[in-house]
Amino acid sequence: MAVTRFAPSPTGYLHIGGLRTALYSYLWAKKTNGEFKLRIEDTDNSRNNEDAVRAILEAFQWVGMPSDSEIQYQSKRMDIYKKYIDQLLEEGKAYKCYMSKEELAALRESQEKAKQTPRYDGTWRPEEGKTLPSIPEGINPVIRIKAPLEGTYEFVDGVKGAMKFEANQVDDYIIARADGTPTYNFVVAIDDHLMGMTDILRGDDHLANTPKQILVYNLLGFEVPKFYHMPMINNPQGKKLSKRDGAMDVMQYKKDGYLPEALLNFLVRLGWSNGDQEIFSMDEMLELFDPNNINKSASAYNTEKLNWLNAEYIKKTPNEKLVELLKDFDLDLNDIDKRDELLDLSKQRANTLIELKEAAEKILNKPTDYEKKGSKKFVKEGTIDMLNNYISLLENNKNTLNSVDEIEAITKPFIEENGLKFPQLFQPIRIALTGGTQAPSVYDIINVLGVDETISRLNKAIEVNFNKEEA
């Protein structure tokens, strides 16, 4: 039984890489009948943003991945961190450091000039037989952890395999600032232990933090959890994902008309696979996902793949649900007589809910202008007479035209009797009914609009557009 977490800092929106990490953590917990927990890492008051907290929680509600326990806020756990800092101080595993910012800056500069890795030099580190400097006035000390000077930090990463860090790669880093607030690597280890984490899934940009956190586990006698460090998501060129590539607020995907199910399906494949399978229901993800099979190499964000997946999910979504979703895009289809036929027709070409709305409105709304290029190409001498004859055909059969098949049944003989090719009739009709030549089947459009509305639009197009072309 795995206990996993996702722990964002509320300094900005929840981005796509963070959601993938959360999804993998969620799937592993649920697959093993464990728990998935959310923790807001808000100890840095200078960078916290309440709007960001709300946006993060809103995103998890939208995608349907709630926390299995009360959401933890680090800002409300300061007494817990102080308790462990005091414990380390009492046990001689941490110490107070009075180096000023100027001294630290000078130390870093000298190390960089000597082409050394910048690190604390242990000035205030207590050692047997060592005399520490006199405590200066006016400086509030930071608290530094006392890291071993020899040995290694070793663990088996679920993605990367056996990992080994030499002791000199972890210096006596600060675990509490001069104002008393604890630092990231310290509180993460405390919280992950107290919240019962068994498996930590995160981006491999955190790999370098792992030995620092293992140090805390070791000094406090905590059991070290299993780590899985996942490669990042890159853009198609193999570079860091930018906002332009898709690294935007998760809720922007909702605004852009993506379904949460499609987005999660897209993300699960960015770093993990099950053969050539592309479409996964949540149940299939839970059945098949295993973090030990996460790819070792970075994945590439692919907008075309996301759009294709979203289109597939739109096609599978019941029309009743689509009606409700479209209300968020200012389209209410509740009073449309043939809304099911309209949606079935519109969603065949829609990659997003915005495109679905536009496709539906292209049929529902009377055209206010007509495609000039199409009109010039398809309206020839005799086109208006042909359309008027077709209008008469519709008028004479209007009481029996209640389905696509019935419309087709009178139209095909009309085309044959008049020696027409399909585009000669259908393209002028498409222009008349929708304003352009890129539209679904004419039979379907007429069926959705009804005969009266079809005749009305044909007559208007003849009057205001086609007469000019034929003349």
Side-chain angles (χ1 to χ4, degrees), residues 39-221:
R39 181 174 72 232
I40 305 297
E41 299 192 333
D42 56 350
T43 57
D44 190 345
N45 292 325
S46 65
R47 301 179 65 216
N48 292 337
N49 184 319
E50 290 185 6
D51 289 338
V53 174
R54 285 192 289 271
I56 289 169
L57 299 182
E58 183 182 12
F60 277 96
Q61 181 179 13
W62 178 57
V63 299
M65 296 194 311
S67 177
D68 287 320
S69 61
E70 181 181 357
I71 297 172
Q72 297 293 321
Y73 293 82
Q74 287 185 334
S75 59
K76 298 178 182 179
R77 298 165 62 84
M78 293 300 181
D79 289 344
I80 295 173
Y81 309 137
K82 186 177 185 307
K83 168 192 165 187
Y84 284 103
I85 290 170
D86 290 343
Q87 178 182 329
L88 291 178
L89 285 170
E90 291 169 8
E91 295 175 352
K93 298 173 181 176
Y95 59 92
K96 296 178 181 180
C97 171
Y98 292 87
M99 285 187 79
S100 65
K101 291 181 180 178
E102 293 75 17
E103 289 174 315
L104 286 168
L107 173 63
R108 174 180 287 271
E109 183 178 353
S110 66
Q111 290 173 333
E112 289 176 344
K113 283 183 179 179
K115 296 184 179 180
Q116 299 172 346
T117 302
R119 57 186 291 113
Y120 180 63
D121 66 357
T123 297
W124 287 90
R125 178 185 172 110
E127 300 285 4
E128 186 175 348
K130 177 181 179 180
T131 301
L132 298 177
S134 299
I135 296 176
E137 294 183 4
I139 294 182
N140 292 323
V142 298
I143 309 299
R144 290 184 178 275
I145 201 163
K146 194 173 183 182
L149 300 177
E150 297 178 345
T152 58
Y153 301 91
E154 299 182 40
F155 62 95
V156 178
D157 190 280
V159 177
K160 297 181 176 297
M163 304 300 298
K164 181 178 180 179
F165 294 83
E166 297 297 330
N168 61 12
Q169 293 180 260
V170 179
D171 66 354
D172 291 1
Y173 68 90
I174 295 170
I175 60 174
R177 303 177 184 91
D179 64 1
T181 58
T183 58
Y184 172 76
N185 282 305
F186 181 69
V187 296
V188 164
I190 298 296
D191 284 337
D192 284 342
H193 170 72
L194 295 181
M195 293 175 69
M197 296 302 130
T198 63
D199 298 75
I200 308 296
L201 288 80
R202 57 191 182 190
D204 59 9
D205 54 331
H206 285 281
L207 184 61
N209 291 326
T210 306
K212 296 180 180 180
Q213 293 165 17
I214 290 176
L215 172 57
V216 177
Y217 283 104
N218 291 342
L219 292 181
L220 291 172

Side-chain angles (χ1 to χ4, degrees), residues 328-460:
D328 289 336
F329 297 89
D330 299 319
L331 179 62
D332 190 343
L333 298 178
N334 277 316
D335 294 331
I336 303 300
D337 289 339
K338 292 195 174 183
R339 70 179 189 186
D340 285 337
E341 291 86 345
L342 173 63
L343 285 171
D344 288 342
L345 183 59
S346 301
K347 64 187 179 182
Q348 296 306 313
R349 297 177 176 218
N351 288 325
T352 67
L353 291 174
I354 290 176
E355 292 183 7
L356 180 64
K357 172 197 175 182
E358 292 171 347
E361 288 182 334
K362 189 173 184 179
I363 295 171
L364 289 175
N365 297 339
K366 298 177 187 291
T368 55
D369 56 17
Y370 301 91
E371 182 187 313
K372 292 181 180 179
K373 183 178 179 181
S375 298
K376 187 173 183 179
K377 180 177 181 180
F378 293 105
V379 178
K380 306 292 184 181
E381 182 179 352
T383 296
I384 291 177
D385 287 341
M386 172 191 69
L387 291 176
N388 281 325
N389 290 335
Y390 188 67
I391 289 171
S392 298
L393 179 68
L394 294 175
E395 285 276 15
N396 295 334
N397 293 273
K398 64 186 301 182
N399 293 328
T400 62
L401 301 180
N402 299 308
S403 70
V404 169
D405 290 342
E406 289 169 346
I407 296 166
E408 183 178 1
I410 68 164
T411 303
K412 279 190 172 180
F414 177 86
I415 292 172
E416 293 172 3
E417 290 165 8
N418 288 274
L420 301 172
K421 295 181 179 179
F422 283 90
Q424 289 178 281
L425 176 64
F426 288 157
Q427 290 294 52
I429 291 177
R430 282 194 180 94
I431 294 170
L433 299 185
T434 68
T437 56
Q438 299 301 311
S441 159
V442 165
Y443 302 139
D444 287 303
I445 298 173
I446 294 173
N447 182 50
V448 170
L449 292 177
V451 172
D452 289 339
E453 178 63 18
T454 297
I455 291 172
S456 173
R457 293 189 187 189
L458 286 169
N459 283 326
K460 182 181 178 183

